[in-house]
Each structure stands twice: as C-alpha cells, then as structure tokens.
Amino acid sequence: ETGVTQSPTHLIKTRGQQVTLRCSSQSGHNTVSWYQQALGQGPQFIFQYYREEENGRGNFPPRFSGLQFPNYSSELNVNALELDDSALYLCASSSPQRGVTDTQYFGPGTRLTVL
Amino acid sequence: GENVEQHPSTLSVQEGDSAVIKCTYSDSASNYFPWYKQELGKGPQLIIDIRSNVGEKKDQRIAVTLNKTAKHFSLHITETQPEDSAVYFCAASMADSNYQLIWGAGTKLIIKP
C-alpha cells in the first residue's frame, strides 16, 4: 500500500509570486484535504476535495485554490504570495464512510518559504 | 467558536515512565478524536483514535480515554522510549462536518535517558 506523497519537499518563493504544490493520495483513498501548519502550531484546515470537487473550506482567502484529478491526486495553488504564507503545507487523504468522520492520513508536507 | 485545549505544552519524562497528555473540547456534538505524532520535519502520523461510542481504546503502549460528560480525552503512553520524543496533537471532529477537525496546540514530549 502506497502512502501519501507530496512534492516538492521544499520551496522558496518571493512575495507576489504563485506556487503549486502537489499531493498523491494513499492507495484506495478518494478524498484529499489540505492544511497549513505554521511553525509551533497545529494544522489549519484549508479545504477538502472529494470526487474532483471542493467539499468544504476553512477560513482561507480565494487566492488559495485547488484541484483534484480523476486519479484522486490533488494540487494546491496559492496566488499573490504573502510573507505569512510561509508554512508547512500538509496533504491528508481519506476514504469517507457514510455518517462517520474520516480517518485522515498525512503526507510529509511541503515547506514553503516566502521571502 | 469550537476549540480544543491541550495540556501541557511541554512534557519531560524519564525513559520508562508514563506520559499523559490531556485535551478538552468545547463542542458536545464532536464524535471523533484522533491523536497524531509529529516528528521534526515530518507530517503528522496517526497513532490512535477513538469514537464517541467507546470510552477507552488501547494499542500496545498507547491508550486513549474519553469522558464525554466532561468533554475531555487523554493520551497515555506507558514505558516511554527515546523514539517517543515528538510533538503530539489531539483533535476533535466538528459537529456539522464529517471531515473537518479542530486541533489542539500540541505537546512537545521529551524522553530523558
């Protein structure tokens, strides 16, 4: 069974640029959630994708957007980067069951630094 | 809004001793409570979870207890080992979502040799 993978591992961008982060879900999982984790804090939910559609969103501005592909892999896009976007971006995959909260499995993350 | 409080923020225990981390949640409708371990430079790893229809769950040296009346749940690690050193996060499900979790602030566990 293949776990959740993310690329790239590290990324350095400058303010105002755009970035795309990628995630491959664990084998058998059709749902991907994205989180932002600032240094020393817990993960903050950005959004979730299920069957190629956004299934829920946290308190993040529209410049954070995403995609999910037919193979359930996903991308997180961030436009007009700000210094505060510097964080570890985590992807988690799950396989929802009706009426039961998902068990989510995380990838290793992408460390984004905005200068 | 809903929140999860986690204590302590740092816990230092002697190798071989037990460690206990406690979390309190605010939403009485929360029904799923996972615990994650995060090592430096890595993503969170699920170590144990519990649902609201169960009061206690154990997996080898790790156990979680849930008190729904008091709205708190705890992680217990027995016979601690150096590899248990990490940051531990608790989380609770949001009532109107079957996927969104509210996370605690984390506990840095240090195992002293």
Side-chain angles (χ1 to χ4, degrees):
Chain A
E1 186 177 272
T2 307
V4 179
T5 60
Q6 292 186 244
S7 63
T9 307
H10 297 89
L11 205 51
I12 299 175
K13 292 284 187 178
T14 56
R15 195 171 51 181
Q17 284 188 312
Q18 178 266 341
V19 68
T20 297
L21 310 181
R22 294 178 176 82
C23 170
S24 291
S25 61
Q26 183 169 310
S27 176
H29 288 181
N30 58 12
T31 300
V32 171
S33 302
W34 285 93
Y35 292 82
Q36 180 194 68
Q37 186 178 25
L39 205 58
Q41 297 182 22
Q44 298 292 316
F45 175 73
I46 302 175
F47 44 55
Q48 183 184 77
Y49 276 83
Y50 171 65
R51 292 185 175 179
E52 302 178 53
E53 291 192 3
E54 188 177 291
N55 189 39
R57 190 178 185 92
N59 190 26
F60 280 81
R63 60 189 185 84
F64 285 79
S65 63
L67 282 174
Q68 187 178 33
F69 301 99
N71 67 353
Y72 305 129
S73 66
S74 177
E75 286 182 354
L76 165 65
N77 299 290
V78 187
N79 294 322
L81 284 167
E82 301 176 359
L83 297 179
D84 285 349
D85 295 335
S86 295
L88 181 68
Y89 287 85
L90 296 162
C91 165
S93 77
S94 57
S95 183
Q97 300 173 45
R98 182 180 295 177
V100 177
T101 304
D102 299 359
T103 296
Q104 299 184 24
Y105 298 90
F106 284 82
T110 293
R111 172 70 63 188
L112 173 64
T113 303
V114 182
L115 303 175
Chain B
E2 300 93 341
N3 74 301
V4 173
E5 293 186 1
Q6 182 172 348
H7 299 281
S9 57
T10 304
L11 178 60
S12 184
V13 302
Q14 205 69 40
E15 182 180 350
D17 287 351
S18 295
V20 180
I21 303 170
K22 299 181 179 181
C23 288
T24 302
Y25 60 98
S26 59
D27 189 343
S28 57
S30 293
N31 59 17
Y32 174 64
F33 309 91
W35 285 90
Y36 286 87
K37 173 185 179 183
Q38 188 172 28
E39 297 174 280
L40 198 62
K42 297 185 178 180
Q45 174 193 4
L46 179 72
I47 55 172
I48 196 166
D49 56 8
I50 191 168
R51 298 187 186 269
S52 59
N53 58 346
V54 176
E56 184 174 357
K57 184 176 178 181
K58 190 173 182 181
D59 182 4
Q60 299 183 344
R61 298 188 296 110
I62 294 172
V64 56
T65 58
L66 172 65
N67 183 328
K68 288 190 294 182
T69 304
K71 291 191 286 185
H72 69 240
F73 55 113
S74 300
L75 177 71
H76 305 252
I77 305 175
T78 59
E79 301 173 7
T80 53
Q81 300 169 2
E83 54 264 37
D84 294 331
S85 293
V87 178
Y88 291 80
F89 290 96
C90 65
S93 60
M94 286 184 68
D96 58 353
S97 169
N98 66 347
Y99 54 83
Q100 191 164 349
L101 300 173
I102 309 164
W103 292 71
T107 295
K108 183 175 182 179
L109 177 61
I110 300 166
I111 307 300
K112 297 180 290 185

